[in-house]
Amino acid sequence: MLAQSGMDLARLSAVDLGRLKSQKELALAQRLAEYPEVVSVAAQELAPHSLAFYLRELAAEFHSYYNAERILVDDETLRSARLALSAAVRQTLANGLSLLGVSAPEKM
């Protein structure tokens, strides 16, 4: 989807995320914000399973969001914001899986 958009991924850091207003978008953003704390607690408590559970929940929440909302809409600013959110989920999943020593495929 990110490659399909044709957007330069470097531009995503400057996107107006204020366009993300749906309940699913806000819930997904909130879940992403929990990542640093989840990693910290998992490391302190020697509990890698808590990171695995978080990643599973994040993936499920993104799947639900992806099925509910069109990402590649005509409105360029909304499309950019949704692509930025999707890229953040992708990066978080890749980082978390890497911490667990699990490879993350580019495509399924």
Side-chain angles (χ1 to χ4, degrees):
M1 165 187 48
L2 292 169
Q4 182 183 12
S5 74
M7 184 174 192
D8 178 15
L9 297 182
R11 289 187 35 218
L12 292 179
S13 64
V15 167
D16 175 18
L17 298 177
R19 295 296 311 271
L20 301 175
K21 297 186 190 252
S22 79
Q23 197 67 5
K24 288 191 179 294
E25 290 167 336
L26 298 176
L28 196 51
Q30 177 61 39
R31 176 79 61 194
L32 287 169
E34 296 168 2
Y35 178 71
E37 181 68 18
V38 168
V39 170
S40 178
V41 169
Q44 290 171 359
E45 296 180 1
L46 302 175
H49 67 280
S50 61
L51 177 57
F53 292 159
Y54 167 84
L55 295 174
R56 183 185 63 199
E57 291 167 7
L58 176 61
E61 203 161 331
F62 180 76
H63 181 73
S64 174
Y65 167 68
Y66 184 82
N67 285 327
E69 302 281 351
R70 282 189 55 228
I71 308 283
L72 301 177
V73 294
D74 291 333
D75 181 339
E76 185 178 343
T77 57
L78 180 58
R79 179 177 62 240
S80 296
R82 287 180 174 174
L83 284 170
L85 181 63
S86 299
V89 169
R90 174 184 169 202
Q91 188 63 55
T92 302
L93 289 170
N95 291 351
L97 290 171
S98 177
L99 286 173
L100 294 172
V102 177
S103 65
E106 285 293 317
K107 278 171 102 170
M108 297 286 278

